[in-house]
Amino acid sequence: MIEHHTNLEIPFWGANTITVTLGCAVFGALAGSVGTFVLARKQSLLADVTGHAALPGVALAFLIGEWAQIGGRSPWLLFLGGGVTALLAAWSTPWLARKRRLGADGANAVTLAAFFGLGTVLFSLVQSHPTGAQGGLRRLLFGNAAAMTNSDALAIATIAIAALLTLILLFKEFSLLAFDEDAARVLGLPVRRLDWLLLLLLVATVVTGMQVAGIALVVSMLIAPAAAARVIGGSFGRTASIAACFGVACAVAGAMASRSVEHFPTGSAMALAATVVFFLSIPCSRILHARRERNSAEARR
Amino acid sequence: MNDRASPLAVDGFSAGYGNGEVIVHDASFALRRGAMTALVGPNGAGKSTLLKGALGLLPHANTACVRFFGQPLEQVRARVAYLPQRADIDWTFPASALDVAAMGLYRKIGFFRRVSGRWKTEARRALALVGMESLESMPIGELSGGQQQRVLLARSLVQGADLLMLDEPFVNVDFATEERLGAVLRDACRSGMSVLAVHHDLGDVRRYFDDAVLFDGTVVAHGPIEDALADANLHEAFKLGPPPEDSIA
Amino acid sequence: MMPSLAVDVPALLALLCALVACGTLGNFLVLRKEAMTGDAVAHAVLPGLVAGFLLTGTRSTLAMFVGAACAGVLSILLSGWARRATRLEAGATLGVVFSGLFALGVVLLETQGARQVDLDPECVLFGSLETLFYVPASGAPWYTGVPRTLWTLAIAALFTLIFALLFLKELALLAFDPSAARHLGVAPRWLERAFLIVISASIVASFEAVGSVLVIGILACPALLAAPHAKSVAGQITLSLVLGVALSILGYAIAALSPQLFGTSTALNSAGMISLVLALSVPLSHAMARRA
């Protein structure tokens, strides 16, 4: 049974659609460029853990919001909650890997199990909550751009643009940190603070991606566009820009898909688009490479 | 069985890691039976790649031109032992020295059977050869670097092989271990075993080895140690330019 | 509150079977430093599960199993190919492939109507343990009322235990020194493949009990708990199962008794609580080992 109903309630290119598409686009750009650093620092699986670790925070924020009667669904409250636990996970994983001799792999597994376990427990608490406002939380699992409001989009865009500006301003410092941490230390850069800042940017991506791509699949938008850009290659700056472009394209494609096909989860659409982009990048890079070689051979002649 | 054949003969061998980059080009040499041969060359020359490739441990190596005792490796696996670089091994693994030494016997023990007392005795004997009998129940993570290397050698010896291939056996081990390993290998060679070891210290290569293969992506020279490591060859392999006129050995 | 035969016993048994099925082979994944591969497989099998369901129209165990196995093998082949073709870090290609396949599974679920039955994306994330009941029909033999999931899990647990026992020394050598294992000819290709297939099967079987994410909790945490105290591989596996089972029962009890303990209106999610208890014990266990 295939359902292809156009969503008739919302005009496809209404004012709300434009805001939402813009919000998704900014998130895509942030995910692509932050992903370039995640990949360079070999932290792809840490990104996965961080993305999932937003769940307990979101559930906790909802419960606190309901308890304090300020409304559990305010985007800023959910962002704050998800951000705090995601940051805690992003920080504790490397710490565990170092201190407890678990290794990076074991530390990732333990943090994921702990945070998502807690998230699952708290989520079951949310679902038993009498108000019935938990529908908004369910959307954060797999993303739902179609249900985004203007204020959601505004909140996402604000955080994402601030994060993008930070990334652009400190681009060369972050690049050196990703490429050669020891060299950065020898040069006297504040490595620890930069490290923290990069983790914060990762968390900002996760938080802004919750409603757009969903907690379960935000990792795909972090890794796949950046991996595709890495395959195409070029300097670090070029790779980051290509990744950002891929991110925007995938995010917008996902948002449009979820607006035009009912029940089409935005996050899955984005992740699928990003995976396709990655697998297309491999033959593309071969063609580009061959052409570059031919050109340089002609130039030599 | 053709026991006259060289323990290891490669002819036009090449190997790489499958990303298009070829690390070993067109290498050809044949080891002498009963000799200790050093595989010498600069860093990044592909010595480990040559060893692993010949043993079929790399997906991209033309093992068709590698012969062990005149035959393809599949036929004579039991007669060839391999000792990896110590750094390639996870020393936090939950195992004792005896457990590791007994691993060399797994092929003989076969599937579905436990490591019983008879096999443990055999593994113990190999540990005694390298002077580790008193530490057999020690977790491998608590051994020193030299002791770990001895355990690995015991694992190769227990296999009862006729050719022993070692990757950097003398790196980061204490002097006593180096001496002991050298003596054990020399004894083994006297009783008919052949040894090929990757070695990178040109200073003491003459102490332990009879022959040398000088290697830099391909075979630069091969033969008795004094001939193979003649200055002209060393200059070629280590890219030092032509040897000076009045070179001192 | 007394444990109820209809609700608590099947759920707890299902969790324990899942723990044994995943936790046994999880030891080898942890020894190989590949714990997160289990997480990847748990996500990547989803499209296969759903396709098996859609093609046959039933939740028949076999169809979903075959589909999941195909998807699991596909994910390993695809990420291996992508890694060789791109020279990216293994975690990156693994991440791209497993999240892509997971996304495909979610899309299939949402758009193809499977969600109208009892498979929905939330069950995929959190498991559907709450739907397990033991309701024997009156007059029928006792085993007729045992839920299908529990049978599947019990068989999976038994099968993995036998597999691990039969190939203990080979799997241990494969984890310790893969090149020696290959060179000695004691761990041929088929054993490596069999290992991947058996572990994928345990993961698929555990899917319904704990969901796709918490599989990592029962897969890696028991082994990581036992690792700092074990002196041999067999010892590590035994200790991991003993600690895993004990802590799981504790976690289950906390979740089931939460209305009395914390005053919540319903019982909390037990799979999540077990995962939390197991994961929090890992740093504790490592700290204890260091002090000893």
Side-chain angles (χ1 to χ4, degrees):
Chain A
M1 187 171 57
I2 301 168
E3 296 174 82
H4 272 293
H5 304 304
T6 315
N7 202 334
L8 292 175
E9 286 150 40
I10 312 160
F12 190 71
W13 283 112
N16 173 266
T17 312
I18 294 171
T19 347
V20 167
T21 312
L22 277 178
C24 290
V26 185
F27 158 72
L30 180 65
S33 43
V34 170
T36 314
F37 289 95
V38 168
L39 227 60
R41 308 189 76 199
K42 301 202 194 315
Q43 290 176 334
S44 310
L45 294 177
L46 178 68
D48 183 38
V49 174
T50 311
H52 281 89
L55 183 67
V58 164
L60 205 61
F62 174 86
L63 290 171
I64 291 175
E66 288 291 309
W67 173 74
Q69 293 180 337
I70 48 173
R73 280 202 49 205
S74 140
W76 289 103
L77 186 66
L78 296 182
F79 285 175
L80 184 70
V84 167
T85 47
L87 189 63
L88 215 58
W91 168 78
S92 63
T93 307
W95 177 78
L96 269 178
R98 260 198 317 273
K99 301 263 173 186
R100 301 283 186 212
R101 290 176 297 165
L102 283 172
D105 194 64
N108 277 328
V110 169
T111 322
L112 181 56
F115 280 84
F116 207 77
L118 181 64
T120 307
V121 169
L122 291 175
F123 205 78
S124 67
L125 205 58
V126 169
Q127 275 175 321
S128 67
H129 207 269
T131 60
Q134 60 263 42
L137 280 204
R138 207 165 294 163
R139 284 212 309 267
L140 299 182
L141 293 175
F142 293 100
N144 191 348
M148 248 160 81
T149 61
N150 274 337
S151 66
D152 290 337
L154 203 69
I156 290 172
T158 313
I159 298 180
I161 287 173
L164 265 176
L165 279 178
T166 317
L167 194 71
I168 292 168
L169 286 177
L170 292 171
F171 190 80
K172 71 173 186 320
E173 284 78 12
F174 284 145
S175 314
L176 184 60
L177 184 71
F179 175 66
D180 187 348
E181 210 176 301
D182 288 334
R185 201 166 283 133
V186 171
L187 273 179
L189 290 180
V191 168
R192 279 186 60 145
R193 247 173 290 166
L194 286 171
D195 199 39
W196 264 97
L197 214 49
L198 259 183
L199 282 185
L200 264 178
L201 291 181
L202 175 63
V203 168
T205 317
V206 166
V207 160
T208 52
M210 287 191 305
Q211 197 150 36
V212 182
I215 284 170
L217 281 165
V218 68
V219 59
S220 183
M221 283 294 288
L222 270 165
I223 307 179
R230 267 287 281 275
V231 171
I232 298 215
S235 67
F236 203 69
R238 210 183 89 142
T239 309
S241 337
I242 296 177
C245 293
F246 283 161
V248 171
C250 296
V252 171
M256 306 239 296
S258 93
R259 284 242 143 177
S260 40
V261 184
E262 207 185 358
H263 298 311
F264 207 98
T266 321
S268 306
M270 287 183 189
L272 274 182
T275 312
V276 169
V277 166
F278 171 72
F279 277 103
L280 283 180
S281 75
I282 296 172
C284 284
S285 84
R286 297 233 164 114
I287 294 167
L288 280 175
H289 195 71
R291 213 173 62 190
R292 221 175 296 144
E293 291 215 325
R294 209 169 49 233
N295 285 350
S296 62
E298 270 166 25
R300 250 178 272 138
R301 213 178 302 145
Chain B
M1 206 180 270
N2 184 3
D3 265 0
R4 293 278 176 84
S6 161
L8 170 62
V10 296
D11 188 12
F13 178 67
S14 59
Y17 286 91
N19 44 24
E21 206 179 327
V22 181
I23 293 165
V24 175
H25 303 265
D26 193 24
S28 305
F29 62 88
L31 297 185
R32 195 155 57 83
R33 260 178 71 81
M36 270 183 81
T37 309
L39 185 57
V40 186
N43 279 335
K47 301 176 297 260
S48 296
T49 311
L50 173 66
L51 222 62
K52 286 186 186 160
L55 286 166
L57 297 174
L58 299 178
H60 295 269
N62 55 342
T63 45
C65 41
V66 180
R67 284 280 178 279
F68 291 90
F69 303 100
Q71 295 177 48
L73 179 63
E74 253 344 289
Q75 314 282 325
V76 288
R77 255 185 200 289
R79 299 179 65 189
V80 182
Y82 166 62
L83 197 147
Q85 277 186 30
R86 199 159 52 81
D88 288 352
I89 296 223
D90 168 22
W91 293 102
T92 62
F93 201 87
S96 67
L98 186 67
D99 290 340
V100 173
M103 284 174 185
L105 294 163
Y106 280 8
R107 187 186 170 85
K108 279 189 204 158
I109 300 173
F111 282 116
F112 314 127
R113 285 202 214 104
R114 284 179 54 248
V115 184
S116 57
R118 173 162 77 95
W119 302 113
K120 283 190 180 151
T121 318
E122 218 168 297
R124 229 167 251 141
R125 210 174 298 145
L127 280 180
L129 270 181
V130 294
M132 287 288 295
E133 65 276 30
S134 56
L135 297 172
E136 61 166 57
S137 52
M138 188 90 133
I140 51 172
E142 291 171 25
L143 299 174
S144 73
Q147 289 166 337
Q148 292 172 341
Q149 192 72 51
R150 292 179 193 212
V151 173
L152 283 184
L153 182 63
R155 185 180 79 177
S156 312
L157 290 175
V158 82
Q159 213 184 313
D162 298 316
L163 169 65
L164 189 51
M165 295 170 79
L166 309 98
D167 202 345
E168 307 259 20
F170 297 141
V171 161
N172 286 332
V173 299
D174 51 291
F175 186 67
T177 297
E178 187 177 320
E179 291 270 278
R180 183 82 187 217
L181 295 186
V184 170
L185 291 175
R186 178 137 305 289
D187 280 350
C189 282
R190 225 167 268 144
S191 58
M193 190 152 87
S194 316
V195 169
L196 175 65
V198 174
H199 194 74
H200 73 194
D201 186 355
L202 279 176
D204 64 3
V205 65
R206 289 171 178 81
R207 262 177 85 98
Y208 301 110
F209 294 94
D210 311 308
D211 291 5
V213 175
L214 187 57
F215 190 78
D216 182 25
T218 188
V219 176
V220 177
H222 172 219
I225 207 147
E226 294 305 331
D227 304 344
L229 302 186
D231 282 352
N233 293 335
L234 287 180
H235 275 83
E236 191 186 334
F238 287 83
K239 309 261 176 356
L240 303 172
E245 290 298 307
D246 50 338
S247 64
I248 308 150
Chain C
M1 189 181 76
M2 277 297 291
S4 122
L5 180 68
V7 182
D8 287 317
V9 172
L12 183 58
L13 280 181
L15 281 169
L16 291 184
C17 287
L19 183 110
V20 172
C22 291
T24 310
L25 294 187
N27 276 285
F28 296 104
L29 277 188
V30 163
L31 288 173
R32 290 155 70 133
K33 315 271 177 231
E34 285 175 358
M36 289 299 278
T37 313
D39 181 52
V41 172
H43 282 83
V45 293
L46 183 63
L49 270 175
V50 182
F53 171 73
L54 287 173
L55 289 177
T56 58
T58 57
R59 284 185 75 165
S60 104
T61 313
L62 188 70
M64 289 170 70
F65 219 82
V66 171
C70 291
V73 171
L74 182 73
S75 74
I76 289 162
L77 291 179
L78 264 181
S79 56
W81 174 78
R83 185 166 63 244
R84 283 191 298 278
T86 62
R87 294 198 226 174
L88 286 169
E89 168 214 0
T93 51
L94 203 65
V96 172
V97 171
F98 88 70
S99 53
L101 282 171
F102 188 67
L104 182 66
V106 175
V107 167
L108 281 177
L109 262 186
E110 286 273 13
T111 59
Q112 301 296 308
R115 72 203 165 79
Q116 278 148 18
V117 202
D118 45 355
L119 256 180
D120 74 51
E122 257 177 70
C123 289
V124 166
L125 282 188
F126 303 127
S128 48
L129 204 61
E130 289 75 12
T131 61
L132 286 188
F133 298 111
Y134 175 57
V135 194
S138 57
W142 64 270
Y143 51 81
T144 48
V146 176
R148 185 189 46 80
T149 310
L150 189 51
W151 281 125
T152 318
L153 277 168
I155 295 169
L158 196 66
F159 187 71
T160 34
L161 269 181
I162 294 174
F163 179 77
L165 271 178
L166 280 182
F167 296 104
L168 180 66
K169 67 179 189 307
E170 284 80 12
L171 290 172
L173 180 58
L174 199 59
F176 175 61
D177 185 355
S179 58
R182 254 160 246 149
H183 170 65
L184 283 169
V186 297
R189 253 314 115 86
W190 64 259
L191 184 65
E192 267 182 84
R193 289 198 184 127
F195 173 73
L196 278 175
I197 290 173
V198 175
I199 201 157
S200 308
S202 325
I203 289 171
V204 173
S206 311
F207 210 88
E208 281 182 72
V210 298
S212 59
V213 185
L214 297 185
V215 164
I216 191 70
I218 56 171
L219 191 78
C221 289
L224 291 167
L225 269 168
H229 307 280
K231 293 203 162 58
S232 70
V233 177
Q236 181 179 317
I237 294 177
T238 318
L239 186 62
S240 71
L241 291 182
V242 170
L243 288 176
V245 166
L247 289 169
S248 296
I249 293 175
L250 175 70
Y252 189 88
I254 296 178
L257 296 176
S258 54
Q260 285 90 336
L261 289 175
F262 315 114
T264 57
S265 54
T266 50
L268 295 173
N269 183 301
S270 46
M273 188 59 87
I274 287 180
S275 181
L276 183 63
V277 169
L278 283 171
L280 290 182
S281 315
V282 172
L284 209 69
S285 158
H286 279 249
M288 275 162 66
R290 217 166 24 164
R291 195 164 308 151

